[in-house]
Amino acid sequence: MTTPALVVDGITKVFGNHVAVDKISFEVPRGVVYGILGPNGAGKSTTLRMINDIIAPDAGKITILDGLTPGSAAASKIGYLPEERGLYPKMKVGEVIEFMGELRGLKRAEARKRGAHWLERLGLGKWTKNKVQELSKGMQQKVQFAAALIHDPDIVILDEPWSGLDPVNAEVLRDVVDEIRDAGRTVLFSTHQMEQAEKVVDAVCIIVHGKKVLDGKLRDIKRNWQAAGWIGLAYADEASKTSVEAILADGKLVAETRPHDEGDDTDCEVRAADGVAPQQLLAALVNAGIALRKFEVLTPSLHQIFVEKVGPEAAVAERREGDAA
């Protein structure tokens, strides 16, 4: 039986009187992309630092691959992109990648060869002889990303990897993450940018105030949310918008209504009452003469799931920060 890539069992970290991470547990299978999500201060980066042995947990246990614990033995099997980016600004791009490869145990010639491959793959091939300080912040981030991958690690850990990247470079990073997974390796990342995460993630763990509030495969989480019965409605004419109010107010048919997301073509979203199938609600609307141009059992976006778990105020703050990055 294949062991997981990572098992986090009840880890806790306290700084003074602040509990940054509170008894968090999750398991990451091999060959998946796993996202740790949460608002600022949720404990995401602290969790990743404990896995990387930058700081030690006050309680709990971390198991990496085949029984390793955080430390020197596990470090050679991990590639890490920290939230605090750090490169030697006066070194040339090719030299800094080569140096990082040697730190990971590669011979100089092999480090140079692999570094050239990754710089080319990430669109930085023509910048090899430039100093790091001559690159934009987004380009420097890709250099550090290459440094995290140069030794072909079994586990790649990325802390806020999309922060500061333009859409083109964000897509390049997503493509590389897909390639890593396709090669059978594991990617663990933190982010607050739900749109980016949803394009690559297989499973998630959502953390709020240091506590886990949700984890599991994304498709299973979406399926469970979908089973709650939310339905998107759009009306064909103004008369239907008025006439539908009586049905939406019928507690035997509709448990709850809410506004639609901005930019959507839906007039409102409703949740059917317990025991009411979507087909029953549709029949009631049709029988009442409501003209519909849309009746859709909704599948949630990762952002909607995030909002549900962290609260709308925290989610809006995170989205604004992501837009500004």
Side-chain angles (χ1 to χ4, degrees), residues 39 303 306-308 310-320:
H303 176 72
F306 184 68
V307 169
E308 180 178 303
V310 308
E313 292 183 3
V316 167
E318 293 301 307
R319 172 168 276 188
R320 286 173 179 166

Side-chain angles (χ1 to χ4, degrees), residues 1-231:
M1 182 177 178
T2 303
T3 58
L6 175 69
V7 177
V8 173
D9 185 11
I11 60 171
T12 295
K13 187 64 186 179
V14 180
F15 298 104
N17 60 359
H18 172 62
V19 181
V21 175
D22 190 0
K23 301 181 182 67
I24 285 179
S25 299
F26 58 87
E27 185 173 301
V28 181
R30 300 195 188 212
V32 303
V33 178
Y34 193 96
I36 298 180
L37 316 176
N40 282 338
K44 306 187 299 294
S45 292
T46 300
T47 299
L48 296 186
R49 289 169 187 154
M50 286 189 280
I51 295 168
N52 277 286
D53 197 38
I54 297 171
I55 55 176
D58 297 318
K61 182 180 179 181
I62 298 170
T63 304
I64 300 167
L65 298 170
D66 298 312
L68 297 174
T69 56
S72 57
S76 64
K77 300 180 180 298
I78 294 174
Y80 179 44
L81 175 71
E83 183 180 20
E84 301 84 4
R85 315 296 191 235
L87 295 168
Y88 298 100
K90 296 186 182 301
M91 288 184 70
K92 293 180 179 179
V93 171
E95 292 174 350
V96 75
I97 290 292
E98 181 180 317
F99 174 64
M100 293 294 184
E102 289 185 86
L103 289 178
R104 289 297 193 176
L106 300 177
K107 298 293 185 181
R108 180 168 298 181
E110 182 64 18
R112 185 179 299 120
K113 177 182 176 182
R114 294 190 187 187
H117 162 77
W118 277 114
L119 290 175
E120 195 66 38
R121 175 66 185 85
L122 294 171
L124 297 171
K126 66 180 181 180
W127 296 88
T128 302
K129 295 183 179 180
N130 289 78
K131 292 182 179 180
V132 169
Q133 65 188 11
E134 296 171 356
L135 274 59
S136 68
K137 289 184 179 180
M139 293 168 71
Q140 290 182 30
Q141 183 168 329
K142 290 200 294 182
V143 172
Q144 192 152 350
F145 183 46
L149 301 175
I150 193 169
H151 59 299
D152 291 336
D154 294 308
I155 301 175
V156 179
I157 298 178
L158 311 172
D159 198 353
E160 294 290 354
W162 286 282
S163 178
L165 292 183
D166 60 53
V168 172
N169 284 318
E171 184 175 356
V172 171
L173 190 149
R174 289 196 306 269
D175 289 344
V176 173
V177 167
D178 284 338
E179 291 169 12
I180 295 170
R181 171 177 49 199
D182 292 344
R185 292 181 283 162
T186 304
V187 179
L188 175 68
F189 68 87
S190 73
T191 190
H192 59 257
Q193 298 186 38
M194 299 301 111
E195 294 82 0
Q196 298 291 352
E198 185 158 18
K199 294 173 182 177
V200 295
V201 75
D202 298 304
V204 298
C205 175
I206 297 179
I207 301 173
V208 180
H209 301 307
K211 294 180 179 291
K212 182 181 74 175
V213 297
L214 178 70
D215 76 331
K217 294 179 180 179
L218 183 59
R219 68 170 182 266
D220 293 339
I221 293 170
K222 286 190 172 187
R223 188 179 297 120
N224 291 338
W225 194 96
Q226 192 176 39
W230 284 102
I231 297 165

